[in-house]
Amino acid sequence: MSEANNEQTGGKEFYLPELLFGYVESMLAGRTPAVQARILPFEEFISDPLHRPGFAGLHTTFMFHTRSTNLEKPLYYCVVDYPIMNASVTSFSNFYCIVVYSGLYQQTYSIMAGLLSDRSLRKFLLTGEEAVDDGSYPRLSRREAYVDLRETGAERADKPALDLTYLLSQLTVIIVTCHELGHIFGGHLQHSLTKNHMSEDAVQVDAQGIRRALEIDADVFGSLASALLMCNIKPYPRWSDLPLDLDMALRFLFVSCYATYSIMDLFGPVDPLVTRKVHPAPLLRIYIVGLIVSNALPVIIPASEREAIWDQASSSVRAVELALLATAGGSMMPEEALQYESAGSQLWDEHLGRWSTIKSSLDRKRLDVFPWSPVLP
C-alpha cells in the first residue's frame, strides 16, 4: 500500500495518544481565556465527514515533512473541537504537539465554497485563464462581502465548487501546519521568549519585536514547505484526479493562502493593518508567501522562474478578489491594495534588519534535515 493510499486507511501514528491528552488539556486550560473544549479522540475525528479536510491536510503534511526528521522526541498533532481559526505548537518534556482547532477548516468551508461558486475562479485554478474585470464597482465592503459568504456560501456552491472547496480547505490546514512546524525546526521553542508555546498572544514591549520575528520566520518556513508539498502532492488522494503541473500547484497554493488570510482578517480587528498581535496582519502574510516562494523555489526547482511565480501570486490575489466581487459584491479598493503592498514591504525590511541578530541566538540544527533549508533567510 502506498503512503498516499494509507491516508484513507491509517494515520493514527501521528495523532496524540489518548494517554497524553491530559498534558495538552492542562496547557489549554491555563490559557487566558481558557479554552473550554475537548480534544477529539482519533476514531471520532476520522469518522466525521466534517473533519475530513482537516485530517487530509494534517496527515499529508506529517507524511511529507516529518517521517524522516529524527527529532529528539515524538511529534504529534491533535484536533480540538472548538470553532476558532487557530493552531499552536507546544514542546512538552517528552513530546511535541501541534494543536489545531476544528474552526480552522470549518470556518473557512462556506466562504471557500462561495468563492468557488464563481466559475471564473474555478477556470483560473484549473487552466490559468484569468477572469475579465468588467469594471463593476463594489456595493459592499470587503468585510461585509465575506460575512455574506460565510452565511450563504455553501448554498451557492454546486458539486464542482464543493470538490475544489475540499482541496482548498485541506490546503488551509497544510499551510498552517507547515507554519507550526517552522516553530519546531526553526528552534523557536527553545528560545527564552517563547515559553515553549507559540500562539496568538499580544506582543510584549520588552520583547522588542522578537516574537513577531519568530512568527515571520515560521511563515517563511511554512511558505516554502507548503510550496514544496504542493509540487509533490499529485500522488495523494483527490489530487491525482487533476492534471497537476507546477503552475497549477502554485495557483492552488496562492489562492488558498490568500483566501485563508482574508478569512483570518475577517475574524480580526476592523483595522486591517493592526499590529497589536504577534502575527503580522493576515493580509500582509500573503506578501511573505509570494516573496519567499518566488525567490526560493527557483533555486530548488530550476524549471521554475521567479517572475513567473510572482505573476502567479499576483494573478491569484486578483482572481480571489474578482470572485468575491462577482459572488458577494465586495472587493479590495485600489488604494487598499497599495497600502498593503507598502506595509508588506516595510514589514519585510524591518524583519531583515533584526533577523540576523535573532537568528544567531537560535538552535537551527533541526533545519538540517531539509535539503532546501539553506535557501531560507
Side-chain angles (χ1 to χ4, degrees):
M1 181 181 295
S2 71
E3 289 189 350
N5 289 334
N6 185 55
E7 182 179 351
Q8 296 299 314
T9 59
K12 194 171 183 179
E13 61 182 303
F14 303 122
Y15 204 81
L16 182 71
E18 290 195 33
L19 61 87
L20 299 178
F21 277 21
Y23 294 95
V24 177
E25 288 168 345
S26 296
M27 180 273 295
L28 293 175
R31 294 183 61 183
T32 305
V35 175
Q36 300 299 322
R38 66 190 183 94
I39 299 173
L40 293 173
F42 180 75
E43 287 72 18
E44 181 179 345
F45 171 59
I46 197 68
S47 64
D48 189 336
L50 292 175
H51 296 296
R52 284 177 187 164
F55 171 72
L58 283 156
H59 187 73
T60 302
T61 305
F62 270 64
M63 291 281 285
F64 188 77
H65 281 306
T66 73
R67 290 297 291 271
S68 304
T69 50
N70 296 318
L71 288 169
E72 74 280 7
K73 53 189 176 183
L75 167 61
Y76 303 111
Y77 74 85
C78 67
V79 174
V80 176
D81 190 19
Y82 200 71
I84 59 173
M85 287 190 68
N86 203 0
S88 63
V89 60
T90 301
S91 175
F92 295 90
S93 60
N94 58 343
F95 67 98
Y96 293 105
C97 187
I98 293 175
V99 178
V100 171
Y101 299 90
S102 60
L104 179 65
Y105 45 91
Q106 291 173 343
Q107 293 281 7
T108 65
Y109 197 87
S110 181
I111 296 174
M112 294 282 197
L115 289 171
L116 288 164
S117 68
D118 178 53
R119 293 185 179 182
S120 294
L121 179 57
R122 300 206 301 263
K123 184 177 291 187
F124 171 75
L125 276 172
L126 297 173
T127 70
E129 182 179 332
E130 297 195 29
V132 176
D133 185 353
D134 62 6
S136 299
Y137 194 83
R139 58 181 175 79
L140 297 176
S141 71
R142 197 168 178 276
R143 181 174 286 246
E144 289 170 336
Y146 272 107
V147 169
D148 179 64
L149 285 186
R150 184 185 180 191
E151 297 172 352
T152 67
E155 301 170 2
R156 301 167 183 258
D158 55 10
K159 187 179 185 304
L162 292 176
D163 288 343
L164 291 176
T165 298
Y166 176 93
L167 296 179
L168 287 189
S169 297
Q170 177 184 348
L171 257 174
T172 293
V173 178
I174 287 172
I175 293 159
V176 172
T177 304
C178 286
H179 170 96
E180 302 303 339
L181 290 176
H183 285 309
I184 296 173
F185 292 103
H188 304 173
L189 301 186
Q190 283 65 45
H191 198 280
S192 61
L193 287 173
T194 67
K195 299 179 182 178
N196 280 347
H197 175 65
M198 302 300 293
S199 64
E200 189 77 353
D201 299 322
V203 175
Q204 301 300 313
V205 174
D206 58 355
Q208 298 177 351
I210 293 177
R211 292 194 63 190
R212 182 174 292 118
L214 298 182
E215 291 296 342
I216 293 173
D217 184 52
D219 271 348
V220 168
F221 177 96
S223 299
L224 193 53
S226 299
L228 290 170
L229 197 164
M230 277 305 301
C231 292
N232 292 275
I233 206 170
K234 175 71 173 173
Y236 287 88
R238 300 207 187 191
W239 293 101
S240 58
D241 297 333
L242 298 176
L244 202 68
D245 58 11
L246 176 63
D247 287 341
M248 186 189 294
L250 291 176
R251 288 195 298 273
F252 268 90
L253 174 70
F254 291 134
V255 166
S256 182
C257 276
Y258 188 61
T260 296
Y261 292 142
S262 294
I263 298 167
M264 288 182 177
D265 183 62
L266 171 63
F267 291 102
V270 174
D271 178 1
L273 293 175
V274 70
T275 56
R276 291 192 297 269
K277 298 284 189 176
V278 171
H279 293 86
L283 290 181
L284 297 186
R285 298 172 74 178
I286 190 65
Y287 180 88
I288 295 172
V289 175
L291 191 69
I292 293 302
V293 175
S294 62
N295 280 284
L297 199 62
V299 180
I300 305 165
I301 304 177
S304 58
E305 297 180 357
R306 181 190 182 283
E307 292 76 12
I309 295 173
W310 185 261
D311 286 346
Q312 288 276 26
S314 300
S315 297
S316 297
V317 169
R318 180 176 179 273
V320 172
E321 289 293 332
L322 288 176
L324 182 64
L325 181 61
T327 57
S331 181
M332 182 179 290
M333 302 302 291
E335 57 270 20
E336 290 181 279
L338 291 174
Q339 276 186 301
Y340 280 118
E341 184 176 357
S342 176
S345 179
Q346 180 180 349
L347 175 74
W348 185 247
D349 288 344
E350 291 174 355
H351 175 70
L352 291 182
R354 62 183 172 229
W355 179 237
S356 60
T357 300
I358 297 170
K359 180 180 177 181
S360 65
S361 70
L362 301 174
D363 179 2
R364 308 281 279 181
K365 67 178 181 294
R366 292 172 186 80
L367 287 171
D368 294 343
V369 299
F370 302 105
W372 44 268
S373 64
V375 305
L376 297 173

